[in-house]
Amino acid sequence: MKPNLYHVLGAKQFSRTELDELFAAARGMEDVVRAGGNRSHEGRIMTTLFFEASTRTRLSFESAMSRLGGSVIGTENAAQFSSAIKGETLEDTIRIVSGYSDVIVMRHTDIGAAKRAAAVADVPVINAGDGAGEHPTQALLDAYTIEKEAGRIDGVRIAMVGDLAYGRTVHSLSYILANYKDVMIYYISPENVRIPSSVKRYMDEKGIRYEETTDLDAVAGSIDVLYQTRIQKERFPSPEEYDKAAGQYIVDEKLMSLMSKNSIVLHPLPRAGEIAEAVDSDPRAAYFRQAQNGLYIRMALVDKALSGVKG
């Protein structure tokens, strides 16, 4: 791995100082967007390599590059429309693509793929999701949204709900929240998709309080943030295991009535029935604002990567 490149590979790489600086940069990018963008990275090229389906992540990264004056090449289905289908290794693909671009944004089906890419790349690599592993840029925009909506992250009480085993967003968000003081996390899930022991060990090492439970109603009134996730059918080993987890937690008007008037509901999206559409009109439903915040965070990350700023 080349020492002077700014890669974004996992949420654990960020310190509290770096998070504060990144969020300040994201606030600045909100001003850039309101002004119609800038030309700070004119002539620079981003390659988006998505070996797995994406809408928000891919388009927000491409929009981020365009807002900064750069251009984008790539494919939204690299598993089918790249030389991977011919048997080319990921490492060889990255070596080639490095010669065509100034930054690579990659989503892959395999845990650890981003680190493999960064090990051979000549340009910065940004992890846009690696299988059931991590999704660091999603966690960054989640934390940024919490800070904007709640006014703080220190002292926040958050319930992470749904598929916590395969849900890479909750893994990364847990790691980000470990940088803050007096955080309390409730991990709420069906029994067959509980939070991995590796995440719990990290929380223990960092002194972060957490509780595992299956009872969302019991904690709904005491939380600041409800972070709902989709039960990811595509990641389950069998239809039977999926059926055990599906449909157990639905955010509806009844659940919202149990929550504080100052709380917020987040979701990394897409949703698949786990948040009722009737909730969308509730001012506490922040998931579409959350998605918008992804643009600002990703602009800040792309700007840092292209500016050659080593973290």
Side-chain angles (χ1 to χ4, degrees):
M1 189 178 299
K2 296 185 182 300
N4 296 320
L5 299 178
Y6 180 74
H7 301 294
V8 178
L9 304 180
K12 292 179 184 177
Q13 76 184 67
F14 293 93
S15 67
R16 175 66 181 268
T17 298
E18 289 170 321
L19 291 169
D20 290 344
E21 292 173 350
L22 179 65
F23 294 169
R27 288 191 290 273
M29 291 304 176
E30 294 194 35
D31 294 332
V32 171
V33 171
R34 281 190 288 269
N38 63 32
R39 312 305 301 173
S40 58
H41 294 294
E42 188 170 12
R44 313 296 289 280
I45 297 173
M46 169 193 289
T47 295
T48 53
L49 281 177
F50 279 67
F51 293 84
E52 193 175 64
S54 172
T55 303
R56 278 153 298 281
T57 302
R58 182 177 62 86
L59 292 181
S60 63
F61 265 115
E62 294 181 357
S63 177
M65 189 62 170
S66 297
R67 298 278 190 181
L68 295 171
S71 56
V72 180
I73 60 175
T75 174
E76 63 178 303
N77 191 352
Q80 183 176 354
F81 297 114
S82 77
S83 291
I85 200 169
K86 303 175 184 177
E88 183 172 66
T89 66
L90 173 64
E91 285 78 4
D92 280 0
T93 297
I94 295 299
R95 288 184 178 100
I96 297 299
V97 171
S98 289
Y100 303 156
S101 51
D102 300 291
V103 60
I104 296 171
V105 177
M106 187 181 77
R107 172 171 288 188
H108 203 278
T109 55
D110 295 344
I111 295 174
K115 291 181 181 179
R116 289 169 51 200
V120 299
D122 292 321
V123 298
V125 172
I126 299 177
N127 181 4
D130 59 342
E134 279 210 60
H135 196 346
T137 69
Q138 177 69 47
L140 292 168
L141 76 90
D142 295 340
Y144 182 61
T145 301
I146 293 170
E147 186 177 80
K148 284 181 66 177
E149 297 280 337
R152 75 194 195 289
I153 302 178
D154 289 321
V156 78
R157 299 169 69 86
I158 180 171
M160 300 188 187
V161 183
D163 179 359
L164 307 187
Y166 304 112
R168 58 194 173 197
T169 64
V170 297
H171 305 164
S172 292
L173 182 55
S174 295
Y175 299 147
I176 292 292
L177 292 178
N179 287 283
Y180 293 88
K181 299 176 182 177
D182 194 30
V183 170
M184 177 65 191
I185 304 175
Y186 297 96
Y187 291 120
I188 302 172
S189 70
E191 291 290 349
N192 63 330
V193 283
R194 297 174 66 180
I195 194 75
S197 57
S198 58
V199 177
K200 291 188 289 184
R201 282 196 301 270
Y202 189 82
M203 296 296 104
D204 290 335
E205 291 170 6
K206 296 297 182 178
I208 300 298
R209 295 180 300 143
Y210 64 86
E211 177 183 324
E212 289 185 89
T213 179
T214 57
D215 194 343
L216 175 56
D217 287 358
V219 304
S222 63
I223 57 175
D224 304 297
V225 181
L226 171 58
Y227 190 89
Q228 181 78 343
T229 67
R230 177 174 62 92
I231 303 296
Q232 302 179 90
K233 186 174 184 178
E234 67 273 18
R235 301 201 189 282
F236 280 75
S238 69
E240 292 76 20
E241 284 299 306
Y242 169 76
D243 289 339
K244 290 180 185 178
Q248 291 196 31
Y249 299 102
I250 306 295
V251 179
D252 55 16
E253 291 172 295
K254 180 181 177 181
L255 180 66
M256 296 297 288
S257 72
L258 302 176
M259 295 174 59
S260 162
K261 65 179 182 179
N262 296 317
S263 60
I264 59 170
V265 179
L266 301 181
H267 192 305
L269 302 176
R271 60 178 167 180
E274 63 278 354
I275 298 181
E277 291 186 8
V279 174
D280 295 352
S281 60
D282 192 306
R284 295 172 293 178
Y287 30 88
F288 295 123
R289 300 192 293 273
Q290 174 189 2
Q292 180 63 36
N293 288 332
L295 173 62
Y296 312 130
I297 283 289
R298 287 165 178 144
M299 286 176 70
L301 289 170
V302 169
D303 178 64
K304 189 170 184 179
L306 290 175
S307 298
V309 179
K310 182 71 171 67

